């Protein structure tokens, strides 16, 4: 059995979003995807002219916004390009060809046991996990209603999931059943491709343009839903007029209210209504009664012959088929049993993402809520209260509280490895007046997205990689962003750093430093004009000596040059109410301060004999490259400020030293 902390079923946007967040928190997990690619519904089972209905600002996944310079509304291909970039950026690697056959909670071992068929190899795999996330989507299987005579229909029947283009239906009589976004867009596409198109519109529906919905999404952040519903419904009435003449009626309740209560979305019009008004697309305001050969007979006694029926009648979740204990999170229909906004959480570590019928906006909310809950739960477990060396028995005695069971556990070991991380607790400097700041204070450790800070004045304190990326994200999310850059910093692209890492294997550090620093100067020019200065020493030299990393630029510098992100070249002197006063006497009011001011190790709190390996600040007392080894079998890994590359070196050195020690004793 393969063990993970989290198993995610489904490699669509929901699964990818949760994976990115778990990766950021270094939580062991795996994605199981039945197809041979991620986002398979978008890649394989969506029509070619599909566009995202919401503006890009509401369609981003966690930790990566769409660029502000990009289109307001994304096409299918543009969204897939974004997904590919997202997967690459967070190094997400789903396991493809994995069809989950059963998932059951083991109450004895307190874990989920997942049986999976590897359809590529034809083998059975078993996974164990403390947490199980259902991210297989609400659109996993197309639903076609059980209509009398449908099985004997002499024409073609297709579900919208498998509809690609109307080009093959030119001059054919096609009936579209379903008047949601898919049905209305497919009807429009069929007409444009020369099909004689009819559409069943039996239920009342709201119809808007994309811009109207975008207006609503923006306004609802500041006004009650019912007010926003009145505003955008009035807009729709002014644009479309009375559509009842054409067999289309509006619901009594507003669109945002209905979305929140039922999950049912309004229809975004891309031209279908104009064609309906022209009579080019026929509306059938009645359900289908029965089908005879190629004739469709409706409940209003209308009868017509069709060559093709396209069912845009929605989807159903199939999770209940393999999830044996689905009642921990789902109802009998395969959807969350808990109502919004607690729909995402079940019992015994079972979660569901992307099943709230709220599109990509809901996917992001679900992913953030689930990842945060998992992280919080894990922090409350595997809690070490003390570790002390017993010189009589020549071993380490570790006392740990199992907060899941509420019991105390004692462990004994010949070797003890401190791998709790240099980033275990966020550090915020002690600034005069900070405790009385009337805005919001957040450490970068808890920063997730700038979306909640739109139009707010935000100060980022700290110009390392976290600070620079957070500043960029805040700007892209519409915040008025400033960043404190007081110390000299090296700034490079990822490719420049990669070049340096390759070259340093063959050339001295100072030569490589000269080469990549020259590259940076050619790309970025003199940044002192913008308040950014380069250190005198080279980046790799500084990394080796101080552990301080160069900044990898993902677009922040361009925004600084444009003046979109303001640089404050001075420390904070004091804070008064919402005013931040700097040492250069500049003064400005801020709504939010984000401290990207690093971390501190907390190992000294529980490691009673820390002096065997650590100094009083919780970092290695031995200098690089012997930083990883202490006395009496005490080691520390990942505390050298050298990132994942340093983690690998530490792990290999420690494992090799333990093996050598054991061999010498035998």
């Amino acid at each position: 059995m393969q063990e993970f902390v989290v198993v995610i079923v489904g490699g669509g946007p929901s699964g990818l979003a949760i994976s990115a967040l778990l990766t950021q928190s270094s939580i062991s997990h795996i994605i199981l995807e039945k197809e041979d690619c991620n986002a398979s519904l978008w890649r394989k089972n969506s029509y070619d002219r599909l566009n995202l209905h919401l503006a890009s600002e509401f369609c981003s996944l966690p930790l990566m916004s769409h660029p502000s310079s990009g289109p307001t509304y994304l096409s299918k291909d543009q969204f897939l390009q974004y997904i590919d970039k997202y997967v690459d950026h967070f190094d997400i690697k789903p396991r493809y060809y994995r069809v989950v056959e059963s998932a059951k909670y083991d109450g004895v071992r307190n874990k989920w046991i997942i049986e999976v068929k590897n359809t590529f190899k034809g083998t059975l795999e078993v996974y164990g996990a403390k947490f199980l996330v259902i991210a297989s989507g609400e659109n996993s299987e197309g639903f076609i209603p059980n209509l009398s005579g449908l099985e004997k229909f002499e024409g073609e029947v297709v579900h919208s999931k498998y509809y690609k283009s109307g080009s093959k239906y030119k001059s054919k009589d096609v009936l579209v059943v379903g008047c949601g976004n898919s049905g209305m867009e497919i009807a429009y596409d069929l007409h444009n491709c020369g099909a004689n198109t009819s559409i069943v519109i039996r239920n009342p529906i709201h119809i808007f343009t994309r811009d109207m919905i975008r207006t609503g999404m923006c306004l609802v952040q500041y006004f009650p839903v019912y007010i926003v519903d009145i505003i955008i419904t009035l807009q729709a009435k002014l644009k479309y007029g009375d559509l009842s003449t054409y067999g289309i009626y509006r619901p009594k309740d507003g669109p945002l209210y209905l979305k929140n209560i039922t999950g049912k979305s309004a229809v975004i019009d891309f031209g279908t209504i104009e064609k309906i008004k022209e009579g080019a697309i026929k509306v059938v305001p009645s359900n289908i009664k029965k089908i005879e050969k190629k004739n469709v007979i409706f409940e209003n006694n209308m009868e017509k012959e069709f060559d093709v029926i396209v069912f845009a009648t929605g989807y159903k979740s199939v999770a209940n088929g393999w999830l044996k204990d689905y009642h921990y999170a789902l109802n009998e229909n395969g959807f969350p049993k808990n109502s919004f906004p607690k729909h995402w959480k079940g019992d015994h570590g079972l979660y569901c993402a992307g099943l709230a019928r709220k599109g990509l906006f809901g996917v992001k909310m679900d992913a953030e809520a689930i990842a945060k809950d998992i992280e919080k739960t894990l922090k409350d477990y595997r809690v070490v209260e003390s570790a002390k060396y017993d010189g009589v028995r020549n071993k380490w005695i570790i006392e740990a509280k199992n907060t899941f069971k509420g019991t105390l556990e004692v462990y004994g070991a010949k070797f003890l490895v401190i791998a709790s991380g240099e980033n275990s607790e966020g550090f915020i400097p002690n600034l005069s007046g900070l405790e009385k700041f009337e805005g919001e204070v957040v450490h970068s450790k808890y920063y997730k997205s700038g979306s909640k800070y739109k139009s707010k004045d935000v100060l980022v304190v700290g110009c390392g990689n976290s600070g620079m990326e957070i500043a960029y994200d805040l700007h892209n999310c519409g915040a008025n962003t400033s960043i404190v850059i007081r110390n000299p910093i090296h700034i490079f692209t990822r490719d420049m750093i990669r070049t340096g890492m390759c070259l340093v294997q063959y050339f001295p550090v100072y030569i490589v430093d000269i080469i990549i620093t020259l590259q940076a100067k050619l790309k970025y020019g003199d940044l002192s004009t913008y308040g950014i200065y380069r250190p005198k020493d080279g980046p790799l030299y500084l990394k080796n000596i101080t552990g301080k990393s160069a900044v990898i630029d993902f677009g922040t510098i361009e925004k600084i040059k444009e003046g979109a992100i303001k640089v404050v070249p001075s420390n904070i002197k004091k804070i008064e109410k919402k005013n931040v006063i700097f040492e250069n006497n500049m003064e400005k009011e801020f709504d939010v301060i984000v401290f990207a001011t690093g971390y501190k190790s907390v190992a000294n709190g529980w490691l009673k004999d820390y002096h065997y390996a650590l100094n009083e600040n919780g970092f290695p007392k031995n200098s690089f490259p012997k930083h990883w080894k202490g006395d009496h079998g005490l080691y520390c890994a990942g505390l050298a400020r050298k990132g994942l590359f340093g983690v690998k070196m530490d792990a290999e050195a420690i494992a090799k030293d333990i093996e050598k020690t054991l061999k010498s004793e035998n």
Side-chain angles (χ1 to χ4, degrees):
M1 182 166 64
Q2 302 177 57
E3 297 275 351
F4 294 92
V5 175
V6 185
V7 166
I8 303 166
V9 180
S14 298
L16 299 177
I18 293 169
S19 177
L21 291 165
L22 296 179
T23 297
Q24 189 193 44
S25 301
S26 301
I27 296 174
S28 166
H29 67 281
I30 194 69
I31 296 177
L32 303 175
E33 167 56 47
K34 66 180 181 179
E35 300 290 345
D36 60 354
C37 61
N38 60 61
S40 60
L41 182 68
W42 290 84
R43 295 183 197 278
K44 296 182 175 183
N45 301 122
S46 57
Y47 41 97
D48 296 337
R49 66 179 299 274
L50 174 67
N51 288 276
L52 270 70
H53 297 133
L54 292 182
S56 59
E57 63 203 271
F58 301 112
C59 292
S60 62
L61 299 183
L63 307 176
M64 184 184 286
S65 301
H66 295 284
S68 56
S69 58
T72 303
Y73 300 100
L74 303 178
S75 68
K76 169 185 171 180
D77 289 342
Q78 288 167 332
F79 181 68
L80 285 174
Q81 288 169 12
Y82 167 77
I83 288 290
D84 290 337
K85 184 179 178 182
Y86 192 83
V87 168
D88 180 63
H89 180 75
F90 293 105
D91 195 27
I92 302 171
K93 295 177 180 175
R95 293 192 179 179
Y96 298 120
Y97 302 102
R98 268 39 177 221
V99 176
V100 176
E101 298 201 329
S102 75
K104 190 176 178 78
Y105 184 68
D106 185 331
V108 177
R109 291 183 285 179
N110 294 324
K111 65 174 62 176
W112 287 90
I113 307 300
I114 305 104
E115 293 186 353
V116 178
K117 185 175 182 181
N118 182 328
T119 55
F120 186 76
K121 294 183 177 180
T123 56
L124 185 68
E125 300 172 349
V126 181
Y127 296 83
K130 183 162 192 63
F131 305 100
L132 176 61
V133 182
I134 308 162
S136 48
E138 58 191 43
N139 298 348
S140 50
E141 186 174 302
F143 169 73
I144 293 180
N146 185 20
L147 296 172
S148 175
L150 179 61
E151 72 282 359
K152 296 180 181 179
F153 178 61
E154 295 181 356
E156 181 182 351
V157 173
V158 60
H159 189 272
S160 57
K161 178 177 180 178
Y162 302 104
Y163 178 93
K164 290 294 183 184
S165 167
S167 56
K168 63 182 285 190
Y169 303 120
K170 184 178 180 180
S171 301
K172 291 190 175 183
D173 294 306
V174 185
L175 175 66
V176 179
V177 181
C179 57
N181 281 297
S182 294
M184 295 292 263
E185 280 201 53
I186 287 171
Y188 184 69
D189 184 57
L190 284 162
H191 165 74
N192 287 345
C193 290
N196 304 314
T197 310
S198 301
I199 182 170
V200 173
I201 303 182
R202 188 181 64 90
N203 298 315
I205 52 174
H206 281 292
I207 297 173
F208 299 97
T209 65
R210 288 191 294 191
D211 288 338
M212 291 174 193
I213 289 294
R214 187 186 184 196
T215 298
M217 294 290 285
C218 293
L219 290 176
V220 82
Q221 300 176 60
Y222 308 102
F223 299 100
V225 165
Y226 79 94
I227 294 292
V228 180
D229 274 344
I230 290 170
I231 293 171
I232 62 174
T233 301
L234 180 60
Q235 283 184 300
K237 287 180 179 178
L238 291 172
K239 177 171 176 62
Y240 295 111
D242 181 9
L243 294 177
S244 63
T245 310
Y246 308 96
I248 303 173
Y249 297 86
R250 290 188 180 91
K252 293 179 181 178
D253 294 316
L256 297 183
Y257 172 82
L258 284 175
K259 181 67 176 172
N260 286 341
I261 299 301
T262 68
K264 187 176 181 180
S265 298
V267 171
I268 312 298
D269 176 44
F270 288 93
T272 315
I273 298 302
E274 180 185 353
K275 298 303 176 186
I276 288 173
K277 285 183 173 182
E278 293 173 359
I281 296 174
K282 305 291 192 298
V283 171
V284 182
S286 176
N287 267 350
I288 296 174
K289 184 178 181 180
K290 61 180 179 178
I291 296 170
E292 294 178 351
K293 295 184 177 180
K294 293 183 77 173
N295 280 359
V296 177
I297 299 135
F298 298 90
E299 290 179 350
N300 64 354
N301 294 321
M302 170 184 163
E303 183 174 341
K304 192 177 186 307
E305 185 177 288
F306 291 99
D307 302 299
V308 183
I309 304 177
V310 179
F311 284 96
T313 42
Y315 297 82
K316 59 182 178 180
S317 169
V318 295
N320 287 19
W322 52 264
L323 187 62
K324 305 307 177 186
D325 298 317
Y326 71 81
H327 57 275
Y328 287 140
L330 305 179
N331 60 27
E332 60 280 2
N333 297 318
F335 287 97
K337 70 173 184 179
N338 294 328
S339 57
F340 181 87
K342 290 295 184 182
H343 59 281
W344 52 271
K345 187 173 183 178
D347 302 319
H348 296 299
L350 182 61
Y351 301 93
C352 46
L355 294 180
R357 297 185 178 97
K358 292 187 180 294
L360 290 169
F361 187 67
V363 163
K364 182 178 180 182
M365 289 194 299
D366 289 354
E368 289 175 340
I370 291 168
K372 186 176 181 180
D373 196 68
I374 289 173
E375 187 177 3
K376 180 178 180 293
T377 303
L378 289 174
K379 282 181 180 176
D380 292 340
Y381 289 162
R382 291 308 308 266
V383 177
V384 175
E385 297 200 330
S386 74
K388 187 166 184 173
Y389 185 68
D390 185 332
V392 177
R393 291 185 285 177
N394 295 324
K395 65 173 61 178
W396 288 89
I397 306 300
I398 303 101
E399 293 185 352
K401 185 177 182 182
N402 184 329
T403 56
F404 186 71
K405 295 182 178 179
T407 56
L408 185 68
E409 300 171 350
V410 181
Y411 299 86
K414 184 174 183 62
F415 306 99
L416 176 61
V417 182
I418 308 161
S420 50
E422 60 190 42
N423 299 349
S424 49
E425 186 173 305
F427 169 73
I428 294 180
N430 185 19
L431 297 172
S432 175
L434 178 62
E435 71 282 359
K436 295 181 180 178
F437 178 60
E438 295 181 354
E440 179 181 351
V441 174
V442 60
H443 189 273
S444 58
K445 179 177 182 178
Y446 301 104
Y447 177 94
K448 294 297 182 184
S449 166
S451 56
K452 63 183 286 192
Y453 303 121
K454 184 178 180 181
S455 301
K456 292 189 176 183
D457 294 304
V458 186
L459 176 65
V460 180
V461 181
C463 57
N465 280 297
S466 294
M468 296 291 262
E469 284 201 50
I470 286 171
Y472 184 67
D473 182 60
L474 284 163
H475 165 73
N476 286 346
C477 290
N480 306 314
T481 311
S482 301
I483 182 170
V484 173
I485 303 182
R486 186 182 66 89
N487 300 316
I489 52 174
H490 282 292
I491 296 173
F492 300 97
T493 65
R494 283 191 296 187
D495 288 339
M496 292 174 192
I497 290 295
R498 185 184 181 195
T499 298
M501 296 291 283
C502 293
L503 290 177
V504 81
Q505 301 177 60
Y506 308 102
F507 300 99
V509 165
Y510 79 94
I511 294 292
V512 180
D513 274 345
I514 291 171
I515 292 171
I516 62 173
T517 300
L518 179 60
Q519 281 184 299
K521 286 179 179 178
L522 290 172
K523 176 171 178 61
Y524 295 110
D526 181 10
L527 294 176
S528 63
T529 310
Y530 308 97
I532 303 173
Y533 297 85
R534 290 188 180 91
K536 293 179 181 178
D537 294 316
L540 297 184
Y541 172 81
L542 284 175
K543 181 66 176 173
N544 286 340
I545 299 302
T546 69
K548 187 176 181 180
S549 299
V551 171
I552 311 298
D553 176 45
F554 287 93
T556 315
I557 299 302
E558 180 186 354
K559 298 303 175 186
I560 288 173
K561 286 183 173 182
E562 293 173 359
I565 296 175
K566 305 291 190 301
V567 171
V568 182
S570 177
N571 267 350
I572 297 173
K573 184 179 180 180
K574 61 179 178 177
I575 297 170
E576 294 178 351
K577 295 184 177 179
K578 293 183 78 171
N579 280 359
V580 178
I581 299 128
F582 299 90
E583 290 179 351
N584 64 355
N585 294 321
M586 169 185 163
E587 183 173 341
K588 192 177 186 307
E589 185 176 286
F590 291 98
D591 303 300
V592 185
I593 304 177
V594 180
F595 284 97
T597 41
Y599 297 81
K600 58 183 178 181
S601 170
V602 294
N604 289 22
W606 52 264
L607 187 61
K608 305 309 177 185
D609 297 319
Y610 71 81
H611 58 273
Y612 288 140
L614 305 179
N615 60 27
E616 60 278 3
N617 296 317
F619 287 97
K621 68 175 184 178
N622 295 328
S623 57
F624 182 85
K626 290 295 183 181
H627 59 282
W628 52 271
K629 187 172 182 179
D631 302 319
H632 296 299
L634 183 61
Y635 301 92
C636 47
L639 295 180
R641 296 187 177 97
K642 292 187 179 294
L644 291 173
F645 185 69
V647 166
K648 180 183 178 184
M649 290 195 300
D650 290 352
E652 290 174 342
I654 292 168
K656 187 175 180 180
D657 195 71
I658 291 174
E659 184 180 15
K660 180 182 174 184
T661 303
L662 291 174
K663 282 183 178 179
S664 66
E665 292 179 351
N666 294 331

